[in-house]
């Protein structure tokens, strides 16, 4: 029994491990007034987020994947979704520091106010980010802008549901953009 425990410990010790530190570098903001008229006010907003990622290998050297996700929340439904993401392979080596910076795509939202009695919000707002390091099918390290997002990224069932929901939302947005582009009159 002791031999089995020692073998299991040696196998676990041989898997790559990592220290992960992520911090927000900046948030780019923009806004534009759209067709103001008497009694109404409309404004379009854009946001993008830049993060700094530091990874240091621990334990055995090995290949891993660095994954980053930028999350948004719909202004109308409150639905959480991933609006931008990326992946790249990395080599985890003991004590070797890897530093990268990633910037999200712009996320748009709009606010229309009709006098003082009605406010309509559209689009989504930036909710935060999640960065993960995976090796094979195992999550080696996770860092997020909020503890709730980190817990979400560590739960395989909830994370899979978020990925599926996000894909549906992105597909719907792309379809709407194609429809709008094809319906626009030629210049």
């Amino acid at each position: 029994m002791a031999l089995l425990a020692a073998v299991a410990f040696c196998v676990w010790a041989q898997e790559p491990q990592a220290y992960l530190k992520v911090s927000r570098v900046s948030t780019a903001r923009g806004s534009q007034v759209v067709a103001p008229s008497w009694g109404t006010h409309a404004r379009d907003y854009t946001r993008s987020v830049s993060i700094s990622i530091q990874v240091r290998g621990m334990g055995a050297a090995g290949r891993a994947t660095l994954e980053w996700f930028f999350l948004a929340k719909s202004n109308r439904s409150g639905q959480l979704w991933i609006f931008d993401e990326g992946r790249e392979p990395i080599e985890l080596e003991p004590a070797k520091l890897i530093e990268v910076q990633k910037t999200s795509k712009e996320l748009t939202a709009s606010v229309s106010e009709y006098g003082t009695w009605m406010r309509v919000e559209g689009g989504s707002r930036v909710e935060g980010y999640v960065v993960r390091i995976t090796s094979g099918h195992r999550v080696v390290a996770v860092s997020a802008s909020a503890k709730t997002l980190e817990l979400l990224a560590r739960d395989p069932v909830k994370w899979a549901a978020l990925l599926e929901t996000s894909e549906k939302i992105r597909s719907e947005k792309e379809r709407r953009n194609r429809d709008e582009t094809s319906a626009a009159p030629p210049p």
Side-chain angles (χ1 to χ4, degrees), residues 21-94:
K21 181 181 177 186
V22 181
S23 55
R24 186 181 298 228
V25 176
S26 66
T27 301
R29 300 169 188 200
S31 67
Q32 175 182 0
V33 174
V34 181
S37 63
W38 187 85
T40 66
H41 178 80
R43 184 175 294 270
D44 287 339
Y45 296 92
T46 58
R47 301 279 189 272
S48 65
V49 177
S50 294
I51 57 175
S52 172
I53 304 169
Q54 294 181 339
V55 179
R56 189 178 305 273
M58 300 180 346
R63 292 178 181 233
T65 302
L66 175 64
E67 305 173 330
W68 58 94
F69 305 89
F70 293 99
L71 290 89
K73 192 173 271 191
S74 171
N75 285 332
R76 289 192 180 154
S77 68
Q79 178 69 50
L80 185 66
W81 63 288
I82 298 167
F83 73 94
D84 194 12
E85 64 184 280
R87 292 171 180 73
E88 68 183 47
I90 57 173
E91 282 293 326
L92 292 175
E93 296 177 21

Side-chain angles (χ1 to χ4, degrees), residues 37-42 111-120:
S37 63
W38 187 85
T40 66
H41 178 80
V111 176
S112 299
E113 295 176 346
Y114 303 93
T116 58
W117 63 90
M118 192 164 119
R119 178 182 173 108
V120 178

Side-chain angles (χ1 to χ4, degrees), residues 117-178:
W117 63 90
M118 192 164 119
R119 178 182 173 108
V120 178
E121 294 186 25
S124 298
R125 66 183 179 278
V126 175
E127 188 67 16
Y129 57 82
V130 170
V131 177
R132 300 182 344 152
I133 299 173
T134 59
S135 179
H137 295 292
R138 188 173 71 89
V139 176
V140 176
V142 176
S143 183
S145 56
K147 188 68 174 173
T148 54
L149 295 178
E150 184 175 326
L151 293 173
L152 176 68
R154 290 182 183 278
D155 184 321
V157 173
K158 290 180 180 177
W159 189 251
L162 176 65
L163 292 173
E164 184 178 326
T165 298
S166 300
E167 184 57 36
K168 287 178 183 176
I169 290 171
R170 284 192 303 264
S171 295
E172 178 61 23
K173 285 182 179 292
E174 288 172 7
R175 185 194 61 77
R176 253 188 272 131
N177 287 340
R178 277 193 313 269

